[in-house]
């Protein structure tokens, strides 16, 4: 037996909740489903010291400001609690502990099989975000079993690691934050794939996001020349790691290319010995469960314009650079959600 619903939103993180806010303003039936046990779990189970690089003034969803010092930076648990409170405040229809297993198109509708029953929907919005499956590059060679290897998604605090040297592979925002924290308890090295470009969180007393708004950089779109450049050269927000690198408390190496016993070899023929290896190498999307080939290119990336796909009634939301630089950030996803609302198929 299948439940009929006008719009099914898969994913109840910030993107799904923003979509729910706008769907609530329409008379059509809708439901958000999520594999998590609680709203906000995707934030709640990140590493303990995680703090957003966007201040509270830029960390809210539509209609409900995040409370507290608007110039301060919220921690991950604060965001998790805020998302949970947001869903409760707007009484959004959400079904948790529900894994989407398969999705296919049948005539004009979509058939979705989940771990808690099946659905037939006129519209489907994939709001699972860009951070789905941890990505670990395949390097030649093998590390010793004595080396502790984890992805940044599994890292929680320094006591989780063995004593001795740590190599963090990847110098994005998470990689630099983790390396900075670990430099207080371990000898830390950092493998950097490309040159570091860091921007201070505050410039002349104002958040860098305030300056981006003033200069129009937050609204830069992916189809502009500047947008295409920024997508490839987005800077790291925050400069806490810079003095530690200069002081030698974080030692930098180029790209890692080979693993051997307890040694990691780098592009410049240097090597370092490790007891711990943290892969801060990001995530990749997992859409294998969606059985609609025309939605994806040869690399498995969604084909869309501002979240609208070639398949009528099917949409993506919460992707990095979905349309604007701010699309994957909490404060930016609301505009993309509101835009999609106009394309939803009408209730039959």
């Amino acid at each position: 037996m299948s439940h009929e619903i006008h719009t099914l939103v898969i994913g109840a993180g910030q993107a799904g909740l923003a979509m729910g806010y706008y769907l609530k303003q329409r008379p059509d039936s809708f439901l958000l489903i999520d594999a998590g046990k609680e709203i906000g779990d995707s934030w709640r189970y990140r590493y303990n010291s995680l703090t957003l690089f966007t201040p509270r003034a830029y960390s809210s969803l539509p209609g409900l400001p995040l409370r507290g010092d608007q110039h301060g930076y919220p921690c991950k648990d604060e965001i998790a609690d805020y998302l949970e409170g947001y869903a409760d405040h707007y009484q959004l229809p959400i079904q948790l502990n529900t894994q989407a297993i398969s999705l296919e198109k049948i005539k004009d509708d979509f058939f979705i099989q989940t771990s808690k029953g099946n659905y037939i929907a006129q519209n489907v919005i994939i709001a699972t975000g860009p951070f789905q499956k941890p990505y670990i590059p395949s390097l030649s060679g093998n590390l010793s079993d004595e080396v502790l290897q984890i992805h940044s998604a599994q890292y929680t605090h320094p006591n989780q690691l063995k004593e001795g040297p740590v190599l963090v592979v990847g110098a994005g925002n998470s990689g630099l934050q983790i390396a900075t924290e670990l430099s207080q308890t371990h000898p830390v090295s950092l493998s950097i794939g490309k040159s570091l470009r860091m921007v201070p969180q505050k410039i002349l007393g104002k958040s860098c996001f305030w300056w981006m708004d003033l200069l129009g950089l937050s609204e830069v779109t992916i189809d502009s020349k500047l947008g295409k450049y920024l997508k490839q050269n987005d800077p790291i927000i925050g400069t806490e790691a810079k003095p530690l690198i200069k002081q030698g408390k974080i030692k930098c190496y180029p790209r890692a290319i080979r693993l051997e016993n307890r040694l990691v070899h780098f592009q410049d023929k240097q090597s370092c010995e490790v007891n711990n290896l943290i892969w801060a190498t990001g995530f990749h999307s997992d859409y294998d469960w969606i059985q609609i080939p025309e939605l994806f290119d040869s690399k498995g990336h969604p084909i869309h314009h501002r979240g609208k796909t070639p398949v009528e009634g099917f949409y993506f939301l919460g992707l990095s650079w979905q349309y604007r630089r701010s699309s994957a950030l909490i404060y930016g996803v609301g505009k993309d959600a509101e835009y999609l609302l106009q394309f939803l198929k009408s209730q039959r």
Side-chain angles (χ1 to χ4, degrees):
M1 182 176 179
S2 300
H3 306 282
E4 293 190 11
I5 193 88
H6 179 255
T7 300
L8 184 70
V9 181
I10 300 176
Q14 60 252 27
L17 295 178
M19 196 72 235
Y21 169 84
Y22 288 108
L23 288 170
K24 188 86 174 182
Q25 300 171 17
R26 293 170 56 128
D28 305 319
S29 62
F30 73 96
L31 176 69
L32 281 69
I33 64 171
D34 196 279
K37 294 180 181 179
E38 302 289 344
I39 297 295
D41 276 359
S42 60
W43 287 96
R44 200 169 277 114
Y45 293 113
R46 299 291 301 278
Y47 54 95
N48 294 353
S49 61
L50 174 60
T51 300
L52 272 69
F53 49 75
T54 50
R56 289 182 184 85
Y58 294 90
S59 302
S60 300
L61 290 174
L64 187 67
L66 177 63
R67 293 180 180 178
D69 175 13
Q70 295 300 291
H71 302 291
Y73 298 87
C75 68
K76 57 144 183 127
D77 290 333
E78 184 178 348
I79 293 299
D81 292 343
Y82 166 74
L83 296 180
E84 194 169 25
Y86 188 91
D88 184 63
H89 180 82
Y90 288 110
Q91 292 294 289
L92 299 178
I94 299 173
Q95 183 171 289
L96 296 168
N97 292 301
T98 304
Q99 180 74 47
I101 297 171
S102 69
L103 188 157
E104 58 184 313
K105 194 171 189 296
I106 299 178
K107 295 184 179 179
D108 292 330
D109 293 327
F110 302 97
F111 178 77
I112 306 96
Q113 181 185 2
T114 81
S115 58
K116 286 193 173 179
N118 302 328
Y119 293 89
I120 294 175
Q122 291 177 240
N123 300 285
V124 169
I125 300 166
I126 304 297
T128 49
F131 310 120
Q132 296 167 28
K133 274 193 171 181
Y135 168 72
I136 296 178
S138 56
L139 302 184
S140 63
N142 293 290
L143 273 182
S144 165
D145 291 338
E146 295 178 0
V147 176
L148 175 67
Q149 287 190 72
I150 58 173
H151 190 272
S152 59
Q154 301 163 306
Y155 172 77
T156 54
H157 52 80
N159 293 340
Q160 184 183 6
L161 304 187
K162 294 182 174 183
E163 291 184 1
V166 181
L167 175 67
V168 179
V169 178
N173 284 294
S174 293
L176 281 174
Q177 281 192 13
I178 291 170
T180 298
E181 177 177 62
L182 288 174
S183 68
Q184 309 304 311
T185 57
H186 292 70
V188 176
S189 298
L190 186 67
S191 174
I192 302 170
K194 57 183 179 180
S195 59
L196 286 176
R197 297 174 60 250
M198 302 183 195
V199 173
Q201 283 187 299
K202 287 191 174 182
I203 302 170
L204 300 177
K206 298 282 191 181
S207 162
C208 63
F209 287 92
W210 184 89
W211 289 102
M212 287 180 193
D213 272 356
L214 182 69
L215 299 171
L217 294 179
S218 298
E219 297 302 305
V220 168
T221 61
I222 187 60
D223 49 14
S224 68
K225 286 185 178 179
L226 181 57
K228 291 173 183 176
Y229 173 81
L230 288 175
K231 184 181 179 183
Q232 299 300 321
N233 299 275
D234 239 358
I236 305 298
I237 307 296
T239 55
E240 294 83 358
K242 186 177 285 187
L244 297 173
I245 292 171
K246 286 184 177 180
Q247 296 162 18
K249 292 183 178 179
I250 298 176
K251 186 173 182 179
C252 291
Y253 290 98
R255 188 184 302 275
I257 59 171
R258 188 162 57 87
L259 312 174
E260 182 185 9
N261 198 15
R262 287 179 54 202
L263 288 176
V264 179
H265 299 273
F266 302 98
Q267 212 165 26
D268 63 354
K269 299 185 179 179
Q270 291 190 79
S271 61
C272 75
E273 190 173 75
V274 298
N275 287 359
N276 305 275
L277 179 58
I278 298 178
W279 298 99
T281 43
F283 299 78
H284 63 86
S285 301
D286 177 19
Y287 299 116
D288 290 346
W289 54 279
I290 301 177
Q291 310 302 314
I292 309 176
E294 56 266 42
L295 288 171
F296 306 100
D297 64 19
S298 59
K299 295 182 178 179
H301 299 148
I303 298 171
H304 71 95
H305 177 68
R306 300 184 66 173
K308 184 177 182 294
T309 75
V311 177
E312 187 182 5
F314 200 100
Y315 312 90
F316 289 95
L317 182 62
L319 301 176
S320 293
W321 280 96
Q322 177 157 316
Y323 183 57
R324 298 175 181 84
R325 188 190 183 281
S326 59
S327 284
L329 301 177
I330 294 175
Y331 82 100
V333 73
K335 290 182 180 179
D336 291 329
E338 185 178 22
Y339 174 79
L340 292 182
L341 200 67
Q342 64 184 302
F343 297 107
L344 298 184
K345 289 195 289 187
S346 302
Q347 179 76 54
R348 287 198 295 270

